[in-house]
């Protein structure tokens, strides 16, 4: 894999689009953002305003939005069958609020008219696309997401940071390796190991029963990642407390399967794209038509102003 060297002081913004539009949908009441026909556009308007704020405050020279072409990849489900199972509506369809579903194509049309690339890759989640962008694109790269799994892509040497928006874009947590270590007690490169051991109910990952955040962090600090910990279990002199050893030993198969599930892919085959930030909409007529049809004039103006500000 080619690891490009830093060539610019201005960052690429690699945006977790589903993370932001779900946040916008739940953060803005439907009745507060509607068309004249009563159609909700809260997710679209909120996403546009968040993107405008990010561009205005971070001053990137490149912006890319990642999508979930496969929100629950089959290869992850084969390893951990409970993965995101609680979010399945039927078959393998994600349980998405009915009022959000028709807004997503509108949002993608807006991005297309503005000239900001948005894409996913079959067989992978947005996280994997973001991880690959962070690993392969010229640094610095700022990944924007409310998904904690992406703490693992933080890399001070590469110039990769996570702008964690768990409390909203207005309260971004600008995270380098020191911030991850301070928050979780592990280096960013070990966050996937930490998450697999601790578990994550939001992703249907059970974790090791009886091993919480503090114990997981202590184990990683002492032994290294999950592979190292599993090897150490076979050493009678490794110094595990008997109760912890028993818990880990009973969870060997889970840990071996959960680590690749929690690990963000860094080698997704990306489609061709031009990440340069447009200085004006590439299709202003289409953007005007969308703004009029979907009552997005104010949000469209703020997004366009952010490109030229």
């Amino acid at each position: 894999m080619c690891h490009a060297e830093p060539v610019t002081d201005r960052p690429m913004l690699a945006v977790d689009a589903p993370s932001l539009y779900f946040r916008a949908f739940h953060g803005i009441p439907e009745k507060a953002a509607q068309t004249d026909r009563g159609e909700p556009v809260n997710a679209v308007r909120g996403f546009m305003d968040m993107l405008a704020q990010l561009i205005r405050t971070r001053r990137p020279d490149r912006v890319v939005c990642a999508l979930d072409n496969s929100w629950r990849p089959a290869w992850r489900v084969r390893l951990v069958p409970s993965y995101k199972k609680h979010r399945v509506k039927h078959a393998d369809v994600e349980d998405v609020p009915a009022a959000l579903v028709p807004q997503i194509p509108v949002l993608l049309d807006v991005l297309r008219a503005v000239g900001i690339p948005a894409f996913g890759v079959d067989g992978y989640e947005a996280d994997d696309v973001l991880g690959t962008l962070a690993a392969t694109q010229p640094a610095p790269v700022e990944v924007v997401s409310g998904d904690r799994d992406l703490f693992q892509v933080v890399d001070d040497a590469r110039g990769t940071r996570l702008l964690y928006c768990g409390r909203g874009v207005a309260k971004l947590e600008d995270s380098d390796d020191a911030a991850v270590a301070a928050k979780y007690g592990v280096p960013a490169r070990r966050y996937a190991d930490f998450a697999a051991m601790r578990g994550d109910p939001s992703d249907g990952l059970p974790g090791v029963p009886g091993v919480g955040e503090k114990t997981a962090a202590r184990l990683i600090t002492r032994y290294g990642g999950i592979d190292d910990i599993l090897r150490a279990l076979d050493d009678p002199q490794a110094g595990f407390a008997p109760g912890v050893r028993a818990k880990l030993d009973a969870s060997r198969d889970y840990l071996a399967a959960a680590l690749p599930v929690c690990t963000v892919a860094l080698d997704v085959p990306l489609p061709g794209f031009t990440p340069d930030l447009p200085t004006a909409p590439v299709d202003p007529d289409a953007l005007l038509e969308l703004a009029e049809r979907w009552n997005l004039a104010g949000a469209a103006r703020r997004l366009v102003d952010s490109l030229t500000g």
Side-chain angles (χ1 to χ4, degrees), residues 77-258:
V77 175
R78 280 195 298 271
L79 289 167
V80 179
S82 63
Y83 184 64
K84 294 186 178 180
K85 188 174 183 179
H86 61 295
R87 289 157 56 182
V88 175
K89 185 175 183 180
H90 58 79
D92 201 34
V93 176
E94 186 177 12
D95 188 8
V96 178
L100 172 58
V101 173
Q103 296 189 56
I104 297 172
V106 178
L107 187 155
L108 297 178
D109 286 344
V110 168
L111 290 173
R112 194 173 299 111
V114 172
I116 293 175
F119 56 81
V121 177
D122 290 347
Y124 295 96
E125 300 174 57
D127 285 6
D128 301 310
V129 175
L130 294 165
T132 301
L133 288 168
T136 62
Q137 297 303 298
V141 176
E142 295 184 342
V143 177
V144 184
S145 179
D147 189 336
R148 293 183 297 175
D149 288 335
L150 285 161
F151 279 117
Q152 67 188 274
V153 307
V154 170
D155 185 340
D156 290 358
R158 266 277 302 162
T160 303
R161 308 172 80 90
L162 175 65
L163 305 182
Y164 181 66
C165 55
R167 296 184 299 156
V169 169
K171 298 179 180 179
L172 284 178
E173 297 177 33
D174 185 350
S175 302
D176 59 6
D177 200 67
V180 178
K183 191 177 180 89
Y184 295 107
V186 298
R189 65 188 178 85
R190 292 298 189 197
Y191 186 84
D193 304 80
F194 172 80
M197 273 195 286
R198 176 206 60 197
D200 189 345
S202 67
D203 279 342
L205 293 168
V208 177
V211 173
E213 289 196 358
K214 291 184 179 179
T215 301
R218 282 198 301 269
L219 289 167
I220 288 169
T221 299
R222 180 165 183 178
Y223 299 102
I226 282 175
D227 291 339
D228 303 305
I229 291 168
L230 292 177
R231 280 193 293 269
L233 283 176
D234 296 324
D235 179 3
Q237 307 303 316
F240 289 99
V244 172
R245 181 188 287 274
K247 292 170 184 174
L248 293 170
D249 195 48
S251 297
R252 279 178 183 265
D253 291 346
Y254 162 75
L255 286 170

Side-chain angles (χ1 to χ4, degrees), residues 247-272:
K247 292 170 184 174
L248 293 170
D249 195 48
S251 297
R252 279 178 183 265
D253 291 346
Y254 162 75
L255 286 170
L259 181 57
V261 170
C262 293
T263 300
V264 170
L266 304 180
D267 56 355
V268 171
L270 300 175

